[in-house]
Amino acid sequence: MSAIRQVVPLGAQWPGVDPFLFTAHHRDEFPPADGETMRPAASLDGRQLGQDFSGTDGWSMYHGTEVPGFPQHPHRGFETVTVVLDGVVDHSDSLGAAARFGHGDTQWLTAGAGISHSEMMPLLDADGPNPLELFQIWLNLAPEDKSAEPHFDMFWGEQTPVVVRGDEGAAARFRLIAGELDGVRALDPPPRSWAARPENHLAIWIVSLDPGVSTELPAFDPAANRVLYNYGGALTVDDRELGYEAAVLEPQAVTVTAGPEGANVLVLQARPIGAPVVQQGPFVANTREELTAAFDDFRSGRFGQWSLPQDDPVHPHGEARFARYPDGAVSRP
């Protein structure tokens, strides 16, 4: 029997399978910075500032008007797992948390009962390009956890386990954001996350394969689903070649082989929550009534109140990677 249940093409937002709502993959070749302003040293003429997803010249401003990124906006009822592979992101939120993270770091944010945050992409290098690559994975919460207190956490790249199979130049590397592989476990997820319960078999792996390398993805519990997103290079899965596509896998073990230029893969796996999903914009609920209540609560100021003087804050140019938690504690890699 084929190990592939279904293959789907990838677009701007990658479709998810319960409990994953979707994944956004941002890859931007930002130009040099304009001095220490952290803005692009390039003309912004012709871009629809505040709503620029054009990809012009290989990059977008998104909702930013000076610094690229996403000014303050609310969330409720799910989690964002943001993994920055290249470049940096500046985070600020209504809890009082703040961070500059990147280069392999993961920010895991449980929106729960509600939070507002901003995610800006400052350009720090005035002498050369400022490439940025990140994943933001929207992970649903179980019905009993949608009203949980919001929770902010940071997993530094230096602390994130990486499983390496093979030798330099002929290796498969698995960055474990969640889950377990070859006896190695990822860092503990937030306490109210669907990932915090071992019986849910949740895994988030970012896999890089050197050219021509083969490796096995182990069998997994039939109660879970596993989706493989091939986002860089040709990949053969169970004798089927994938391009820029996702494959929903059967629970059996399967061998994956990179093409002549190598391959990059995101693997998402979990047991489904199985609850109804009603989503509109930044809010995820189980019923239409709960969704209406979320909008009412936000408009009434019952969550996500923003106290910063600007909607698109960035940290000082010379600031190194850091995380300041709502209680004032500061962590650095």
Side-chain angles (χ1 to χ4, degrees), residues 24-275:
H25 178 220
H26 296 282
R27 179 182 284 158
D28 290 281
E29 299 298 330
F30 288 119
D34 180 14
E36 295 188 358
T37 66
M38 296 177 277
R39 300 192 298 261
S43 173
L44 301 182
D45 291 345
R47 293 179 183 270
Q48 188 179 352
L49 293 184
Q51 191 74 8
D52 173 38
F53 290 76
S54 65
T56 301
D57 298 327
W59 53 278
S60 300
M61 287 292 292
Y62 302 108
H63 295 305
T65 56
E66 295 188 7
V67 173
F70 298 86
Q72 68 110 343
H73 55 281
H75 291 305
R76 188 177 198 174
F78 66 102
E79 299 183 291
T80 60
V81 183
T82 306
V83 187
V84 182
L85 300 179
D86 200 5
V88 297
V89 171
D90 279 3
H91 166 92
S92 300
D93 67 38
S94 56
L95 300 178
R100 171 167 286 170
F101 64 106
H103 307 297
D105 302 332
T106 298
Q107 179 192 269
W108 199 312
L109 187 68
T110 305
I115 190 173
S116 290
H117 73 152
S118 65
E119 305 156 292
M120 306 307 295
M121 304 165 181
L123 311 186
L124 303 181
D125 188 352
D127 298 323
N130 288 272
L132 179 133
E133 183 175 16
L134 67 82
F135 297 105
Q136 185 166 93
I137 301 161
W138 283 31
L139 173 59
N140 204 6
L141 288 166
E144 64 270 22
D145 295 315
K146 287 192 177 297
S147 59
E149 287 294 316
H151 184 91
F152 165 90
D153 215 340
M154 183 66 66
F155 302 153
W156 300 116
E158 292 84 346
Q159 300 169 327
T160 302
V162 177
V163 172
V164 180
R165 296 174 174 174
D167 301 319
E168 185 66 29
R173 300 169 189 82
F174 293 76
R175 180 176 292 274
L176 307 187
I177 309 303
E180 181 177 354
L181 180 70
D182 295 350
V184 178
R185 289 197 59 81
L187 300 172
D188 291 337
R192 300 294 291 271
S193 176
W194 191 245
R197 302 162 196 170
E199 67 272 18
N200 294 335
H201 310 290
L202 195 143
I204 302 173
W205 304 335
I206 300 174
V207 188
S208 62
L209 303 174
D210 287 333
V213 165
S214 295
T215 196
E216 183 182 84
L217 301 182
F220 59 97
D221 193 289
N225 293 310
R226 177 184 287 169
V227 182
L228 179 156
Y229 299 86
N230 181 46
Y231 67 93
L235 185 76
T236 300
V237 181
D238 193 27
D239 297 326
R240 176 165 178 172
E241 185 170 323
L242 297 182
Y244 189 60
E245 295 174 305
V248 182
L249 302 180
E250 297 289 350
Q252 67 208 57
V254 62
T255 297
V256 298
T257 303
E261 298 181 356
N264 295 294
V265 175
L266 173 69
V267 176
L268 301 180
Q269 171 192 299
R271 183 171 68 89
I273 294 173

